[in-house]
Amino acid sequence: MRSPISLKERCRIARNWELKHYKQRSLVRYRVSQLPWIFRDDDQLWVTQGSFVNGYRVRADGIINKLPTCVLKGHGEDACRFRKRENIVVSGGSDGSIYAWDIESKRKRFVGKSAHAKATCAVDFSPPSFGHLIVSGSKDQTVKLWRMKTDHYDDVDLEWVHSSNCCPLQVLDHRDRVWCVGFSKDYSRFATGTAGITTEGPLFVWDASSCQMIASFGDVYQHGAGILDLDFETRDLLLTAGYDTFIRMWDLRSNKCVLTFEEPFDSAIYCFLSIGKYGIVAGTYRCGMVRLWDKRHVKPVQEYYVGDTDSPVYSLAGDSKYLYVALDRNIMMLDYTV
């Protein structure tokens, strides 16, 4: 568990963010360029490395151990995005597969070797008390809902598991490549973001129980302004970002955009992360640049160039003390406690 931060230390760290006072460190290096996805929980940093999803123990100073403490494998090709909640990790693969693991037993909870005809770009799932549903989005232009099994499977059962799992509960045809999906905080609805090349627009919200569309947002988006990342702040507040260089906050009670943050360098926003109550950090497609925003202000607070590279920022994780940045050739850490 992460130790609480005193009020004085919070103020000092916040000042470091504002003044660009931090220390960079490379934690993971790749031999070839990748599109890594990362996630930080209390004591581990989870990283995609090729076809694996690896968990590294995080020390008190934010640095990870050299060797992973947990290695999750199953994908035939590179792992794309994954989601972790409690002791479950669900991951999509570039071969169209979906896998779910129990990280305590290292055994599989879901196996879909050919869940999609093309790469599974994004996944999310609900806990057992909310149906244990998996929602997946793919380049094959579909979003599918699956039921995760409550028991475990051994490798000798994989052929049977594959055939029994690969019957989705619902298939939602988007007629466009699906880049991101995500459940709301109460798991009553989920959102899907596409490449934005159809007339319907790139953003949709669906009821999780009936799979009926609740809302679609296309009026404010130009053709090709796809959604690359989304996240529910609350049940009714949805954050999105993508090719149109904006971070937008949508209020689903009125189905209107209530806040916008425009990237001043006209860079597509690949990912974002909420820090505390008011902070948002966004990863852009140019020069490893991370942008800091305060939700109470229109103009950005600061920008940070990570890793001395031309790489986009593919994923972000961390908190106010340590920010982890996923680039094409390495995972970097920014330490704001210096």
Side-chain angles (χ1 to χ4, degrees):
M1 297 293 291
R2 283 176 268 191
S3 58
I5 308 174
S6 67
L7 181 59
K8 180 179 179 180
E9 182 67 3
R10 288 182 186 179
C11 293
R12 189 182 72 84
I13 291 173
R15 190 64 173 164
N16 286 344
W17 279 85
E18 184 179 1
L19 298 178
K20 300 175 70 171
H21 187 201
Y22 59 90
K23 183 179 180 180
Q24 290 194 41
R25 179 162 184 157
S26 177
L27 302 181
V28 178
R29 296 182 183 274
Y30 299 109
R31 294 182 179 179
V32 296
S33 295
Q34 300 192 23
L35 282 73
W37 191 256
I38 58 177
F39 175 77
R40 166 80 194 271
D41 59 13
D42 285 335
D43 58 355
Q44 284 190 308
L45 180 69
W46 295 86
V47 180
T48 59
Q49 294 181 268
S51 61
F52 303 137
V53 180
N54 293 335
Y56 292 86
R57 183 71 61 185
V58 179
R59 298 172 0 198
D61 59 0
I63 298 173
I64 63 174
N65 291 342
K66 291 184 178 181
L67 298 177
T69 57
C70 182
V71 178
L72 305 177
K73 53 187 176 180
H75 294 299
E77 298 179 13
D78 286 354
C80 297
R81 298 189 181 187
F82 65 89
R83 187 78 70 169
K84 179 187 180 294
R85 287 194 177 95
E86 298 177 351
N87 65 325
I88 301 295
V89 173
V90 177
S91 173
S94 58
D95 56 355
S97 62
I98 302 173
Y99 284 88
W101 300 270
D102 185 317
I103 60 175
E104 293 181 355
S105 64
K106 308 296 191 300
R107 299 170 72 182
K108 296 179 178 68
R109 297 285 293 273
F110 184 92
V111 176
K113 290 184 179 180
S114 54
H116 287 276
K118 295 183 179 180
T120 305
C121 299
V123 292
D124 199 359
F125 69 98
S126 62
S129 56
F130 293 92
H132 238 192
L133 298 175
I134 298 175
V135 58
S136 60
S138 170
K139 285 184 178 181
D140 67 6
Q141 304 186 359
T142 64
V143 169
K144 296 183 180 182
L145 266 75
W146 316 80
R147 183 83 67 189
M148 195 187 311
K149 304 297 184 181
T150 57
D151 48 356
H152 304 96
Y153 302 110
D154 296 319
D155 288 340
V156 295
D157 300 321
L158 286 187
E159 290 302 323
W160 176 83
V161 174
H162 168 61
S163 60
S164 62
N165 279 166
C166 280
C167 295
L169 302 176
Q170 290 282 350
V171 179
L172 305 175
D173 185 6
H174 281 58
R175 296 187 296 172
D176 197 358
R177 292 165 295 174
V178 181
W179 293 135
C180 51
V181 299
F183 274 107
S184 62
K185 297 301 183 184
D186 64 352
Y187 305 103
S188 65
R189 56 187 67 176
F190 62 91
T192 58
T194 71
I197 60 172
T198 64
T199 57
E200 289 85 357
L203 180 61
F204 306 89
V205 181
W206 309 80
D207 182 84
S209 58
S210 65
C211 288
Q212 296 298 310
M213 186 188 301
I214 299 173
S216 64
F217 304 95
D219 296 340
V220 301
Y221 291 101
Q222 296 180 0
H223 181 79
I227 304 295
L228 296 176
D229 199 8
L230 59 82
D231 185 52
F232 279 89
E233 290 243 305
T234 67
R235 179 183 184 275
D236 299 309
L237 293 179
L238 173 64
L239 286 170
T240 63
Y243 286 122
D244 69 344
T245 75
F246 281 88
I247 297 176
R248 302 179 189 271
M249 178 180 285
W250 301 88
D251 190 330
L252 301 183
R253 293 165 293 191
S254 61
N255 288 343
K256 292 182 179 179
C257 181
V258 293
L259 282 176
T260 58
F261 306 98
E262 183 178 7
E263 165 53 46
F265 291 175
D266 200 34
S267 296
I269 299 174
Y270 276 28
C271 58
F272 63 86
L273 175 71
S274 292
I275 299 289
K277 187 176 182 180
Y278 298 112
I280 302 178
V281 286
T284 69
Y285 89 99
R286 289 180 177 173
C287 303
M289 189 185 73
V290 175
R291 180 82 66 180
L292 172 65
W293 302 83
D294 187 321
K295 296 175 187 175
R296 297 165 293 185
H297 301 280
V298 176
K299 294 183 178 180
V301 177
Q302 195 54 271
E303 74 276 348
Y304 316 97
Y305 291 92
V306 183
D308 190 24
T309 178
D310 292 332
S311 167
V313 176
Y314 291 110
S315 181
L316 295 164
D319 52 26
S320 61
K321 296 169 64 176
Y322 309 109
L323 180 66
Y324 301 89
V325 181
L327 306 175
D328 60 356
R329 299 299 292 267
N330 52 13
I331 307 298
M332 302 291 295
M333 183 190 76
L334 308 187
D335 181 359
Y336 289 93
T337 65
V338 294

